Amino acid sequence: MAPSSRQSLGKHLGRALRRRCLHCGEGQVFTGWWGMRDHCPNCGHKFEREPGYWVGAVIFNTALVIAAIFATMAIFLAATWPDVPWTALTLVTVAVSVIVPSIGYPYARTLWMAYDLYVHPLEESELEAGKARVRQTNG
């Protein structure tokens, strides 16, 4: 049976796609498109839970880019076969490989946090540290 503090994966994914704090759902994770906060301004949840935490987000973003490149190539090849304009295919694929990770970066991070919090809910010490950060910021 799941611990009572564990929230549903759907709730985590919804918060991730809205770029909200995965713990409370209120605080903004990012200050702009790429600028990420250290912790939630609402609940104090520290986003980088341990050293090397973002390796999972890099894997998520890499998988997204690989899928986008393969999809682009498959669609392009299916639409132009047998007279494939290889130069155009190369340029489009290079553009996809630059644009997709730029757009996907914040989502890769929030989706990684969603997965991590689902399989490894916050411990009591993390909850207390978050409350202390909020008290320090507000008072």
Side-chain angles (χ1 to χ4, degrees), residues 15-123:
R15 290 174 177 177
L17 294 174
R18 290 189 330 262
R19 298 171 13 131
R20 299 285 185 167
C21 174
L22 280 292
H23 176 64
C24 72
E26 297 296 321
Q28 290 286 341
V29 174
F30 291 87
T31 58
W33 189 257
W34 291 288
M36 188 169 181
R37 300 178 192 278
D38 292 331
H39 61 276
C40 175
N42 185 58
C43 70
H45 167 59
K46 185 176 179 187
F47 297 131
E48 185 174 357
R49 294 176 74 184
E50 59 190 10
Y53 184 73
W54 300 118
V55 171
V58 171
I59 293 168
F60 275 27
N61 210 17
T62 301
L64 173 67
V65 172
I66 291 169
I69 288 170
F70 280 126
T72 300
M73 291 175 67
I75 291 167
F76 203 96
L77 288 171
T80 61
W81 196 262
D83 299 317
V84 179
W86 294 105
T87 303
L89 175 58
T90 302
L91 293 174
V92 169
T93 304
V94 168
V96 165
S97 70
V98 171
I99 293 168
V100 169
S102 299
I103 292 170
Y105 167 78
Y107 295 104
R109 283 195 163 201
T110 56
L111 288 169
W112 169 249
M113 287 192 294
Y115 171 77
D116 181 59
L117 278 179
Y118 180 72
V119 299
H120 180 215
L122 293 177
E123 297 173 5

